[in-house]
Amino acid sequence: MVKVALIGLGSMGQNHYRVLKSLPEFELTALCDIQQTREYDEPFYTDIDEMLEKADIQAVVIVVPTFLHKSVALKCLAKGKDLFIEKPVASNCDEAKEILEAAAKAKAKVCVGYIERFNPVVEALKNELEGKEIYSIGITRVGPFPPRIADVGILTDLSVHDIDLIRYITEHEIEKVSIYKSQKIHNHHEDNAILSFQLSGEIVASITTNWLTPFRKRTIEVATKEGYYEADLMAQDLTEYSEYQKNNSYVIRKIMLKKEEPLVREHKAFAQYIETGDRHGLSTIEDSMITLDISSRKA
């Protein structure tokens, strides 16, 4: 069992807490936040330094606001702890580089939590695309504004998921970027954006994202030489439409997959990474830096 601490018990932190407690791969030995709002079975700290000194910890899961990622990560790395950092790795690439250098110095295993990589439908789609010529990939991620978000706009909060997915699913690098964004109903950050990309291999890609839609929608559509795929990330459904036949018809195939909670699969991979060094799809600091660089570019 990996002895793990969880820093940050907000909305997303509560999800990590539930999953970490449920998995036999982990032993939660410490919790940390600026204040304790409920009772926990585990030792609770309001000071990170005190927790790092007193608690028996091998690894730390960091689920604090993005602007705190660098300071929290550097403190943990100074103590030689392995890290799981919720996406994005930091507020900008300069901060991410500091974390990267500290991780190398500490010889620590560090991954960044891009949870959609562990959605079963993404894995199934990636397997279906193996060996196929990809023409285009389009991702839609829209919904109402989440009140938990205060420090970033949709480019940092939402589009980073899908920039990462485009690289992960296609296994091609992004070469050209165009970002069109607007601020419609919020005071400090963009809430509406369309991103367009050209990848190596002449693959074109797009992301449509906003906090203006009254319902949540998370879909990926991929056109290939052999057929067309539609993936619903929320329902975990994957459909293939075959290429046109001579009579302009096509065959629809529902692809079977086992539905699982992505966060459970992600933490199982984190535990295995700590034990064996095999990432099993986990994002690296460098992956997150590429995504940060792209999402921060001007329109």
Side-chain angles (χ1 to χ4, degrees):
M1 295 175 72
V2 177
K3 293 183 178 180
V4 65
L6 173 61
I7 301 178
L9 273 300
S11 176
M12 191 61 189
Q14 292 294 332
N15 287 329
H16 282 274
Y17 176 73
R18 170 182 55 81
V19 169
L20 289 169
K21 277 187 70 75
S22 72
L23 293 175
E25 290 90 344
F26 293 98
E27 179 187 355
L28 259 174
T29 55
L31 303 174
C32 185
D33 206 330
I34 54 173
Q35 61 180 349
Q36 184 171 354
T37 57
R38 50 167 277 199
E39 290 297 318
Y40 295 95
D41 298 329
E42 299 78 18
F44 195 99
Y45 299 86
T46 55
D47 182 86
I48 294 173
D49 296 314
E50 182 185 5
M51 183 197 75
L52 291 171
E53 286 295 331
K54 293 182 178 179
D56 184 9
I57 302 166
Q58 180 181 355
V60 179
V61 176
I62 298 174
V63 198
V64 298
T66 304
F67 73 93
L68 294 174
H69 282 191
K70 186 190 85 168
S71 60
V72 173
L74 293 182
K75 285 186 176 185
C76 295
L77 289 170
K79 297 293 185 180
K81 309 304 179 186
D82 296 326
L83 298 183
F84 177 110
I85 307 172
E86 259 299 346
K87 63 82 190 165
V89 65
S91 296
N92 54 60
C93 287
D94 288 338
E95 292 184 358
K97 187 177 179 181
E98 289 186 57
I99 296 173
L100 180 64
E101 291 172 350
K105 184 178 180 181
K107 297 182 180 179
K109 297 183 178 73
V110 181
C111 63
V112 185
Y114 285 89
I115 191 172
E116 293 288 26
R117 287 187 176 210
F118 292 88
N119 191 316
V121 76
V122 169
E123 181 182 24
L125 175 61
K126 191 170 168 62
N127 290 338
E128 286 287 329
L129 295 173
E130 185 71 32
K132 292 183 173 66
E133 182 181 350
I134 299 173
Y135 292 157
S136 67
I137 177 169
I139 301 180
T140 299
R141 186 180 298 270
V142 298
F145 177 72
R148 65 181 177 82
I149 300 297
D151 60 330
V152 295
I154 55 166
L155 290 177
T156 300
D157 183 55
L158 292 188
S159 73
V160 292
H161 276 298
D162 301 316
I163 295 169
D164 181 73
L165 280 181
I166 286 171
R167 294 180 59 245
Y168 181 65
I169 290 170
T170 65
E171 298 182 1
H172 283 260
E173 292 300 327
I174 294 169
E175 296 181 339
K176 296 181 182 179
V177 181
S178 294
I179 298 177
Y180 306 92
K181 61 184 178 179
S182 62
Q183 189 175 314
K184 292 299 184 183
I185 61 175
H186 299 97
N187 295 327
H188 303 295
H189 301 288
E190 77 284 345
D191 51 26
N192 184 38
I194 294 176
L195 300 85
S196 301
F197 311 95
Q198 184 165 346
L199 285 66
S200 59
E202 296 188 332
I203 298 171
V204 294
S206 67
I207 297 170
T208 299
T209 186
N210 69 52
W211 281 329
L212 309 175
T213 307
F215 57 87
R216 295 174 71 231
K217 183 178 180 181
R218 309 280 190 267
T219 58
I220 303 174
E221 299 180 22
V222 182
T224 75
K225 183 178 181 180
E226 295 81 4
Y228 191 84
Y229 294 87
E230 287 186 346
D232 186 324
L233 298 180
M234 296 176 64
Q236 296 186 9
D237 287 332
L238 181 59
T239 304
E240 178 199 39
Y241 301 85
S242 68
E243 62 179 332
Y244 274 123
Q245 308 300 315
K246 290 182 179 180
N247 61 354
N248 289 333
S249 66
Y250 54 87
V251 176
I252 300 174
R253 177 171 68 101
K254 289 290 185 179
I255 296 166
M256 301 301 294
L257 57 98
K258 182 181 179 182
K259 298 183 179 183
E260 297 178 273
E261 183 177 357
L263 190 57
V264 170
R265 301 178 80 236
E266 187 174 37
H267 273 309
K268 286 182 177 179
F270 178 46
Q272 193 162 1
Y273 175 40
I274 292 172
E275 295 293 340
T276 68
D278 190 338
R279 287 186 174 274
H280 290 281
L282 289 165
S283 174
T284 65
I285 296 174
E286 292 91 339
D287 285 329
S288 192
M289 289 173 70
I290 292 171
T291 300
L292 268 177
D293 174 63
I294 292 170
S295 66
S296 63
R297 295 182 192 180
K298 302 296 183 182

